[in-house]
Each structure stands twice: as C-alpha cells, then as structure tokens.
Amino acid sequence: MTAVVIVGAQWGDEGKGKIVDYYTESAQVVVRYAGGPNAGHTLVVGDDKLVVRLLPSGILRPATACILGQGMVIDAKVLLGEIDQLAARGHADLGSRLMLSDRAHMILPYHLILDGLRESALGQGKAIGTTKKGIGPAYEDKARRTGIRAGDLRDLARLRTLVEAALDAWRPTLTALGGDCPSAAAIVDELGPHAARLVPLLGNASRAADEAVQAGKDVMFEGAQGTLLDIDHGTYPFVTSSSAVAGGATIGAGIGPSRIDCVVGITKAYTTRVGSGPFPTELSDASGQHLRDVGVEFGSVTGRPRRTGWLDLPALRYARRVNGLDGLALTKLDVLTGLARVKVCVAYDTPDGRVDELPVDLIDRPDLARPVYDELDGWQEALSAARSLDDLPAAARRYVDFIAQGAGVPLYLVSVGPRRAESIELRHPFTAK
Ligand code: IMP
C-alpha cells in the first residue's frame, strides 16, 4: 500500500542490495530507476553470494515483480548473463515477472570503447575513474538524441539505420581517440540473438509501475549509485551520468512525485568511495585499512579497492535535504568492531565559517573546506547477534544514537552483518506512513 524509494546517501556501495532485499519481503514490485551495469548489488542467499548489476535486488523473491525502468541504460549481454545465472540457481521464472522498459537506453559496443579510451586519454589525476561499462557515453547518446532504446530491438532493419546514425555522430571522437569504429552491421548481427530474448520482456514500465501503485501494492523504487554520484547533486564532474537521488525515481520509473510515500536513505557506518574525486574524510592509515579489510571494501563491479574514511554527517544532512529522507538504514556497523576510537565528521570549516551541511562545491579544496571531527569510544564486541538496539554494547549504541541525532533522520534499520537476519529493525517503510 506504499511506494517507497530507496536511495544511497553517500557515494554508492552503501549496502542497498541487502536492504532492498530485506524490505522486498513484503513488496510486490521492485523498480530500478537509474544507472546500468556500473551498479553492483551483492545479494547474500544463505551461504551463497551473488552480485547482480542490472536486475533489481528483489529478483530473488519469487513473488516479486521486477521492472527495469526507462531511466536505466542496459547492456544486453550483461542482462541476459544475469538472467541465465539466476536460472541456473533455480529462478527459471524470471520471464514472467521481469519487465524491461521499452524506453530504457541500450549500451552498445561503441559506448564501452569510448568509455575506456576517454578515461585513458584523461589520464591520472583527471580521469573520473569510471567503471568503463559504457555508462557515460550511453547517457550522452540519450541526451544527444542518437540513443538506441530497448524498444528499437523490435525491428532489426530499423535498428541498423539508428546504429549507423549514432556511429556517424561518434566517428570523429573515436578517430580522434585512436579507436576503431565498429560497423553497424556487425553490431546488429551480434545483437540479433539477444534482441530475440529481450523483446518478450519489453513493456510500458511507467504504466506498470503506476498501475501497481494505484492498485495499492507495496512498490519499491530502487536507486543505484548514491547521492554524491548524482549528475546534478553529486561531486561534479566526479559523478555518474544519471539521477541517482530520490527524485530520479519519478523520472526514471515514470511515476509522478505525488505517488511517493516514503524515502529511505542507506548509509554505511563509515564512508567509502570508488573512483576519483574529493573525499574529505578519507583515511590512509591503519583505521582506513581496517575498514577496507573487515568491510571487504572492493568494488563489486570492478574489483578495485574502495577508498575508505570516517562517516561524514554533513554529507548525510545534504543527502537528507536533496532526497527528502524520511528514514535511514545504517549498514555495516559491525565493521567498526575492533577500532579503539571512532571519529565522525560533524561540520566543515569554510571561509564563511563553520557549516553543518556538506559544502559540496568546496570539498575539492581542502584549504577551503576542512572537516571537523568528534571522537567517540570504539568497541571490541561482535555485533552480528544483536536484534535490538539494547543488544548493542554501550559504545556502539552511543555511536548509533550519535548518527541518528546528527543526521536528523530517524533510523529505520541497523545492519550488523551481511545476512538478512543480521539486522535490527526499528521501523518498516511499508508500514511507516
Ligand atoms: P560510471 O558510472 O561508470 O560512469 O562512473 C562514474 C563514477 O561513478 C566513478 O567514480 C565510478 O567509480 C562511480 N560509480 C558508478 N557506479 C557506482 C556504484 O554502483 N557504486 C559506487 N560507485 C559507482
């Protein structure tokens, strides 16, 4: 009976996979609204770990319909690979509960080539550190109106003329970067068998999502990446190319803003970032190494070690504002076990004085935006058995309360381990309003 948006409150990788999976126990529909195979959701099923990049996290629930919204960019090979991987694990029914928006844009081989060549050309220091999955160039094609949409897979002859037009537009760039321009014929030949499998999944996703909401179903709109990677609100230009914030759900899923009942932000109990760009609370010491080792902080798509740092409350307040957060899910609290002291950034010193919200356009200038920290006691106890806040050791409880108070958002859930059960549920978004 509720439409809930789940959004990353940091730089992505906040643990959305587990939280969406947890909440979708009661959701009938999950819609992904942005991004593409740059996202990696790690789902834990018993002792089995599964990383999906395109499919919504609700995909493991046999009763949940999943929609890939029009705000997404889709790599046909990746999507079919995931469908096959799930079929091999017994989820052979995906065809009947998965819809691909016919307006979602396709990632084609030239997007991948361009992403790689561009990053190399920018070089150390300027490269964005993209996932090289073709995301940026695919969204550029969309904005330039030379994109290929999933619905275009229905007619391969027409598709070929569309691909030719896109290649004409990209050829000068590809040539200047020293790349080869693939032929439209080869691209469409390769796509043909994929198209035959994807066309039966196509549908009017916006309508399906709206009808589900109107019918009073519980619908989850699953964000990808995170607030600070959003094309408009993130640490530009070190951002992804889509609207990762909660508002992106209305555009990328095609439902009106008035249909959304609740927005839940996900934050780790510390901060990580993959790729380049400013990260004021980054650590390069033993505590940072602890977070990387214990938190297994390696990119789920690229395998790159993630940069790690202390929690940034001003960044959370920024995320609260731009997403209109109703609640917070705090993940990976257990990773902090073993640290003697834990720091939290509580404000920034700027030329305009001390500010309590992330000064997003200043943070690439450490001389203009200096993080101010509070220090709290750490704890040594394992947390994974905690099922209520009262089960936490006193120092961990103080840390959690400090975050909720400092962020100014009520906690809905505290995650104390990767498994579904390793969670402290405080409030459920599908019953929160
Ligand atoms: P792109 O989305 O591949 O173009 O990469 C742009 C920036 O977003 C890079 O810093 C990536 O590392 C980052 N990024 C993209 N997707 C994710 C994600 O799912 N989690 C974390 N970072 C991401």
Side-chain angles (χ1 to χ4, degrees):
M1 305 244 264
T2 311
V4 175
V5 179
I6 289 273
V7 67
Q10 300 168 306
W11 276 288
D13 308 316
E14 297 92 351
K16 289 184 291 296
K18 168 179 165 171
I19 306 301
V20 173
D21 186 51
Y22 184 93
Y23 286 148
T24 47
E25 183 146 35
S26 46
Q28 284 105 346
V29 184
V30 182
V31 189
R32 237 193 90 176
Y33 61 83
N38 47 350
H41 303 294
T42 308
L43 304 178
V44 178
V45 199
D47 289 330
D48 201 8
K49 244 189 180 181
L50 183 71
V51 176
V52 293
R53 286 151 58 183
L54 281 169
L55 291 171
S57 303
I59 202 73
L60 295 175
R61 306 259 181 212
T64 305
C66 290
I67 299 178
L68 301 169
Q70 65 217 46
M72 292 187 70
V73 285
I74 305 292
D75 183 320
K77 261 195 222 167
V78 175
L79 178 56
L80 291 169
E82 288 181 6
I83 291 173
D84 290 343
Q85 200 189 353
L86 279 162
R89 287 168 199 248
H91 297 270
D93 64 327
L94 291 196
S96 61
R97 60 187 181 92
L98 178 66
M99 179 187 284
L100 167 60
S101 166
D102 54 9
R103 302 189 134 232
H105 279 249
M106 300 304 294
I107 298 176
L108 292 176
Y110 42 93
H111 297 131
L112 291 143
I113 298 171
L114 283 155
D115 203 354
L117 288 174
R118 281 229 189 104
E119 282 288 277
S120 312
L122 282 169
Q124 195 76 18
K126 288 205 171 145
I128 306 296
T130 75
T131 57
K132 298 190 183 164
K133 302 295 173 199
I135 308 297
Y139 279 113
E140 282 174 68
D141 255 340
K142 174 178 175 174
R144 190 172 54 180
R145 290 156 286 191
T146 47
I148 308 296
R149 294 185 294 176
D152 297 326
L153 300 179
R154 291 184 177 117
D155 178 345
L156 294 185
R158 185 171 164 276
L159 174 69
R160 187 168 157 171
T161 60
L162 294 173
V163 172
E164 271 160 6
L167 284 174
D168 286 345
W170 282 119
R171 194 166 287 109
T173 312
L174 273 167
T175 310
L177 290 167
D180 291 330
C181 196
S183 88
I187 289 171
V188 175
D189 282 352
E190 197 188 336
L191 212 49
H194 301 325
R197 292 185 62 196
L198 291 180
V199 166
L201 302 177
L202 296 178
N204 184 335
S206 156
R207 189 172 178 152
D210 191 59
E211 280 174 1
V213 173
Q214 300 281 2
K217 293 186 176 168
D218 283 339
V219 183
M220 169 76 72
F221 295 91
E222 176 184 359
Q225 288 80 47
T227 302
L228 295 171
L229 288 173
D230 180 273
I231 182 85
D232 287 286
H233 303 286
T235 47
Y236 193 88
F238 297 98
V239 293
T240 190
S241 305
S242 63
S243 298
V245 295
T250 68
I251 295 160
I255 51 144
S258 58
R259 302 282 180 251
I260 307 281
D261 298 300
C262 177
V263 180
V264 181
I266 319 284
T267 177
K268 275 179 186 160
Y270 49 95
T271 310
T272 63
R273 173 165 204 173
V274 280
S276 319
F279 181 179
T281 65
E282 183 168 13
L283 289 165
S284 53
D285 61 4
S287 299
Q289 195 58 41
H290 169 105
L291 297 175
R292 187 171 308 106
D293 292 344
V294 181
V296 199
E297 296 295 356
F298 297 89
S300 42
V301 170
T302 58
R304 290 179 287 181
R306 292 182 183 138
R307 301 158 67 192
T308 54
W310 298 123
L311 187 71
D312 188 330
L313 279 180
L316 274 188
R317 294 183 197 116
Y318 178 75
R320 175 189 68 191
R321 179 169 64 78
V322 298
N323 293 299
L325 297 183
D326 293 299
L328 259 190
L330 179 70
T331 63
K332 292 191 137 181
L333 182 66
D334 51 303
V335 172
L336 298 179
T337 289
L339 292 171
R341 308 280 290 163
V342 183
K343 285 191 185 180
V344 183
C345 171
V346 292
Y348 278 84
D349 278 335
T350 74
D352 294 330
R354 189 160 285 191
V355 296
D356 65 2
E357 187 182 275
L358 188 74
V360 72
D361 290 317
L362 292 185
I363 57 171
D364 59 341
R365 293 280 308 271
D367 52 326
L368 298 183
R370 271 189 304 108
V372 178
Y373 290 98
D374 263 14
E375 205 170 307
L376 286 81
D377 286 336
W379 58 92
Q380 306 305 314
E381 299 88 337
L383 306 184
S384 59
R387 296 293 174 267
S388 83
L389 291 180
D390 292 338
D391 295 338
L392 292 173
R397 174 70 196 258
R398 269 196 300 278
Y399 186 68
V400 168
D401 290 344
F402 188 82
I403 293 170
Q405 208 169 21
V409 188
L411 284 175
Y412 278 13
L413 187 137
V414 178
S415 172
V416 290
R419 293 186 172 73
R420 263 181 213 159
E422 291 166 339
S423 306
I424 299 171
E425 185 181 305
L426 301 162
R427 191 165 178 182
H428 201 295
F430 284 120
T431 52
K433 283 198 170 170

